[in-house]
Amino acid sequence: MKTKSRFPEDTVAAIRDGKGLYIRAGTEPHRFINIWAVVVERRVFVRSWSLKPRSWYRTFLKEPRGAIQIAGHEIPVRAVRTRSDRLKKAVDRAYLKKFGTGGLARFAQDLCRAKSKATTTELVPI
């Protein structure tokens, strides 16, 4: 079984410690948008708050390649849907820990509800 690629440690630290990252889903020309990301077990996870037809999440379902921008670098990624309940629960905890206070708490809680939890996606560097 092939081991998944991993982000360099400095990239993981920037995502873990930062408030978000910029993402572009698919390979068509499109702007980067800012979303929240968390790190669990040195792996990068994102969730969609909106399931609109033209969302980054829906684009990744059709075409799982894209890119992120973090700390001044653009990194090609592949989106991998997360099916593991254990990982989804760990991602819940990570979102609540990172964003669960002050004015962001309501949004963090929304990202832990069933609709958003079902969109849990791992970003893997290509």
Side-chain angles (χ1 to χ4, degrees):
M1 175 196 243
K2 185 179 176 190
T3 305
K4 287 184 181 179
S5 297
R6 301 289 180 177
F7 288 103
E9 188 57 44
D10 60 334
T11 302
V12 172
I15 294 168
R16 182 190 61 235
D17 300 338
K19 288 296 180 189
L21 58 80
Y22 288 87
I23 192 167
R24 182 180 62 216
T27 57
E28 295 296 317
H30 191 277
R31 66 183 172 87
F32 282 85
I33 60 169
N34 191 10
I35 65 169
W36 289 356
V38 295
V39 174
V40 173
E41 299 174 7
R42 282 203 77 254
R43 297 160 67 180
V44 176
F45 293 91
V46 294
R47 285 184 175 165
S48 182
W49 187 76
S50 167
L51 295 176
K52 292 181 180 177
R54 295 186 61 194
S55 69
W56 63 263
Y57 174 72
R58 298 243 188 217
T59 300
F60 271 143
L61 289 177
K62 294 176 190 168
E63 183 180 7
R65 294 186 182 268
I68 62 170
Q69 288 179 337
I70 188 77
H73 300 284
E74 184 173 319
I75 304 167
V77 295
R78 181 171 48 90
V80 179
R81 292 184 66 200
T82 305
R83 299 193 192 300
S84 164
D85 286 332
R86 180 190 66 79
L87 274 176
K88 287 179 183 179
K89 288 176 185 174
V91 171
D92 283 348
R93 290 188 297 273
Y95 268 108
L96 292 172
K97 180 178 180 182
K98 186 172 181 177
F99 301 106
T101 60
L104 301 179
R106 178 174 58 101
F107 300 106
Q109 291 166 357
D110 282 349
L111 285 170
C112 295
R113 290 190 186 8
K115 178 181 88 168
S116 289
K117 186 183 288 201
T119 71
T120 305
T121 303
E122 181 178 2
L123 300 178
V124 179
I126 299 174

